[in-house]
């Protein structure tokens, strides 16, 4: 059984920072690409940032220069450092991982999400 758990969300004032973490646990052989998505009320889910196994990253234009995605392969964790937060960053943030389990089955896994609210 594989599980992804996000943490680190909360309420922050505009201009503030938060660090989200995504921890993968269970019968994991290898984690490939990992991405953070977000979904605000009434809006479609959007890709925020992604990172490959080798560490290559990509970002939505709206977060470039403010957010940084990183990974710790030894700990099976991926983090999203969010700086200079804006009210429009308010959303539920989800971690999505393309991974291979110990039975060598490849699949996409998603966590339950963590709420980020940017408001004064």
């Amino acid at each position: 059984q594989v599980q992804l758990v996000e943490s680190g969300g909360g309420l922050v004032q505009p201009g503030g920072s938060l660090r989200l973490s995504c921890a993968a646990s269970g019968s994991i052989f290898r984690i490939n690409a990992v991405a953070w998505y977000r979904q605000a009320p009434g809006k479609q889910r959007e890709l925020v940032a992604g990172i490959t196994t080798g560490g290559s990253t990509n970002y939505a234009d709206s977060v470039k220069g403010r957010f940084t995605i990183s990974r710790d392969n030894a700990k099976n964790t991926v983090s999203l450092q969010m700086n200079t937060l804006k009210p429009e960053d308010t959303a539920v943030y989800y971690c999505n991982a393309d991974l291979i389990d110990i039975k060598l089955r490849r699949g996409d896994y998603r966590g339950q999400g963590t709420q980020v609210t940017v408001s004064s």
Side-chain angles (χ1 to χ4, degrees), residues 9-18 38 66-67 82-91 93 115-120:
L11 173 64
V12 64
Q13 292 186 342
S17 298
L18 282 175
R38 67 186 180 188
R66 300 189 297 122
F67 290 11
M82 306 187 296
N83 299 327
T84 319
L85 283 160
K86 304 175 181 180
E88 50 264 43
D89 294 318
T90 296
Y93 284 70
Q115 176 71 46
V116 171
T117 303
V118 185
S119 175
S120 54

Side-chain angles (χ1 to χ4, degrees), residues 61-82:
D61 288 342
S62 58
V63 307
K64 280 181 182 176
R66 300 189 297 122
F67 290 11
T68 302
I69 188 171
S70 60
R71 65 189 292 164
D72 184 333
N73 291 328
K75 295 182 179 179
N76 286 342
T77 59
V78 172
S79 298
L80 184 68
Q81 177 66 43
M82 306 187 296

Side-chain angles (χ1 to χ4, degrees), residues 9-79:
L11 173 64
V12 64
Q13 292 186 342
S17 298
L18 282 175
R19 186 175 181 87
L20 305 184
S21 291
C22 172
S25 62
S27 304
I28 299 169
F29 175 72
R30 186 179 70 210
I31 300 175
N32 297 323
V34 180
W36 284 96
Y37 289 83
R38 67 186 180 188
Q39 187 164 22
K43 294 188 177 181
Q44 287 190 332
R45 191 175 76 149
E46 64 170 335
L47 174 67
V48 176
I51 187 166
T52 66
T53 306
S56 297
T57 59
N58 64 283
Y59 298 92
D61 288 342
S62 58
V63 307
K64 280 181 182 176
R66 300 189 297 122
F67 290 11
T68 302
I69 188 171
S70 60
R71 65 189 292 164
D72 184 333
N73 291 328
K75 295 182 179 179
N76 286 342
T77 59
V78 172
S79 298

Side-chain angles (χ1 to χ4, degrees), residues 1-6 22-29 31 75-78 95 97 99-102 109:
Q1 194 79 1
V2 174
Q3 189 176 21
L4 296 183
V5 178
E6 300 98 334
C22 172
S25 62
S27 304
I28 299 169
F29 175 72
I31 300 175
K75 295 182 179 179
N76 286 342
T77 59
V78 172
C95 172
L99 63 81
I100 300 172
D101 67 17
I102 59 172
Y109 293 83

